[in-house]
Amino acid sequence: MFKKVISVLLLLALITGIFSVSATAAESQARLYTVYGNGMLFEQNKDAIFAGEGEPGSIIRVQLLNNNGWPIKTASSKVNEDGTFEVSFIAPAGSYNEYSVVLTQNNDVFATLNNVVFGELWLASGQSNMQFPLGQSVKGSEMMNSGKKLSKWLRVCIEPVYPTYNGTNAVPSQPQNDIAGVTWINGENSSIYSMSAVAYFFAEELMNKLDMPVGILNSSLGGSSIRSWLSREAIEADEVLKKELIDADNYIADSEWDENNIDIYTDMTANYNLRTHAYRNFRPSGLIWYQGESDLQQTNTRVYAENFSALMTYMRGTHNLIN
């Protein structure tokens, strides 16, 4: 009887140890940022960059598999000391081929993306006229009410209207590497009718002209000012723009930032921090921008032009977000 008790205790200790090791492994498991997902689209012929978090010093490996399961691209990199990583390969030319992407940390698979395509990717941003959903447009409403499925080769990254930060509606003072609640959908998904109408018709025309898949990073907010989409780095690099923000009492020093009192519509860098920065690795072909009326009564055309110039200079230069 005593031996049986000891055997049971040893078995329980072994099981507990296994669960303890498994829990530790799960906690240290690498992860991709949520801006990546099944059915996503990468810009063709540029760096396809995968980013996320993992164990510092561990090796992240990415493989691109064709529809036969054969690896056609492989790359690896080491996780940085701060726990972040980026690993990339040169994307194939745009086509109607669907691929899978497998990522491992020290040879353990932690992420698999299916139905990935390569083609033409664009960032659609701004305020109400860009946010206006396809399902409320005349043509879009007709298609939606008839139950029409759109092209499976249209790939759209959809954001919540108000992405959360640390589970709250606060606005972070620092640019975020990810966006809570984003999802990738294709044209056959009924949620496609929530995407920007302007971006849809733009993408539809591109697909017809280029004969390849087209992707949209759907990022906009009705009523937002242009300064909310500017990064702090862009503002600090432009002395004239910074002075004008200070003179208009629209400049917020980092030390004065209160995450709970920042207005996502009007305050500088708010939407950049919460949304745009997370797309810095996506390398889209360009930006569709539809915004301006929210600044009409707050500034003049010269100041707006300076804001827009700073926006484009930063996106083209510092992060090579568009080129």
Side-chain angles (χ1 to χ4, degrees):
M1 178 66 181
F2 182 66
K3 288 183 179 179
K4 289 183 179 179
V5 172
I6 291 177
S7 298
V8 171
L9 289 174
L10 287 173
L11 180 59
L12 288 173
L14 180 60
I15 292 172
T16 304
I18 290 172
F19 281 128
S20 177
V21 170
S22 299
T24 302
E27 289 173 2
S28 64
Q29 186 66 279
R31 74 174 189 94
L32 270 177
Y33 293 133
T34 57
V35 289
Y36 299 89
N38 292 327
M40 69 179 297
L41 180 146
F42 285 93
E43 176 68 22
Q44 63 170 335
N45 301 322
K46 294 182 182 178
D47 287 331
I49 303 172
F50 298 82
E53 299 172 354
E55 278 294 308
S58 62
I59 301 300
I60 302 295
R61 186 166 180 252
V62 59
Q63 284 188 313
L64 178 68
L65 312 179
N66 63 19
N67 55 13
N68 293 318
W70 290 99
I72 59 174
K73 299 272 186 177
T74 301
S76 62
S77 70
K78 185 179 290 188
V79 179
N80 301 317
E81 291 184 3
D82 65 358
T84 63
F85 70 81
E86 291 181 11
V87 58
S88 66
F89 54 75
I90 299 298
S95 72
Y96 295 114
N97 295 320
E98 290 186 302
Y99 301 84
S100 294
V101 177
V102 178
L103 290 103
T104 61
Q105 177 179 255
N106 292 341
N107 296 320
D108 293 326
V109 176
F110 68 87
T112 301
L113 304 178
N114 296 312
N115 304 321
V116 172
V117 296
F118 298 88
E120 184 88 354
L121 180 66
W122 284 73
L123 172 62
S125 191
Q127 62 178 99
S128 52
N129 287 328
M130 185 61 78
Q131 186 182 1
F132 184 74
L134 173 62
Q136 291 184 25
S137 68
V138 174
K139 183 177 177 181
S141 176
E142 292 173 355
M143 294 189 297
M144 181 176 66
N145 292 334
S146 68
K148 181 178 180 179
K149 289 186 176 181
L150 308 182
S151 173
K152 67 173 288 187
W153 304 110
L154 170 64
R155 306 297 172 95
V156 184
C157 184
I158 299 285
E159 298 175 356
V161 176
Y162 302 105
T164 59
Y165 166 63
N166 287 342
T168 73
N169 291 324
V171 180
S173 62
Q174 300 301 313
Q176 299 301 293
N177 291 326
D178 210 356
I179 306 171
V182 296
T183 184
W184 280 89
I185 62 174
N186 67 40
E188 294 182 332
N189 189 311
S190 60
S191 296
I192 199 70
Y193 288 101
S194 67
M195 77 172 288
S196 161
V198 171
Y200 169 75
F201 293 116
F202 174 81
E204 182 184 47
E205 185 172 347
L206 271 185
M207 284 192 291
N208 291 333
K209 288 184 176 181
L210 300 177
D211 192 24
M212 68 173 62
V214 170
I216 297 292
L217 302 172
N218 198 88
S219 182
S220 53
L221 179 66
S224 56
S225 66
I226 190 171
R227 61 180 172 272
S228 73
W229 298 95
L230 285 168
S231 69
R232 182 175 295 279
E233 193 172 355
I235 292 170
E236 297 295 342
D238 190 322
E239 293 182 5
V240 174
L241 176 56
K242 181 178 178 179
K243 183 178 184 305
E244 286 173 340
L245 286 172
I246 292 173
D247 291 345
D249 200 26
N250 289 323
Y251 180 82
I252 306 172
D254 193 45
S255 60
E256 299 172 345
W257 193 279
D258 182 342
E259 293 174 347
N260 294 309
N261 291 328
I262 293 297
D263 189 327
I264 196 173
Y265 293 95
T266 61
D267 286 334
M268 59 173 268
T269 79
N271 282 300
Y272 177 84
N273 291 350
L274 200 56
R275 307 169 192 264
T276 311
H277 184 77
Y279 298 127
R280 69 199 179 285
N281 291 320
F282 277 52
R283 304 296 190 266
S285 288
L287 166 70
I288 317 168
W289 180 257
Y290 205 150
Q291 190 276 337
E293 68 261 33
S294 288
D295 292 270
L296 187 63
Q297 296 179 341
Q298 303 172 21
T299 186
N300 57 49
T301 55
R302 177 185 59 79
V303 173
Y304 185 85
E306 289 172 356
N307 277 263
F308 187 73
S309 177
L311 179 79
M312 297 307 296
T313 298
Y314 184 78
M315 286 190 171
R316 287 189 176 124
T318 304
H319 278 315
N320 199 28
L321 183 62
I322 58 173
N323 53 38

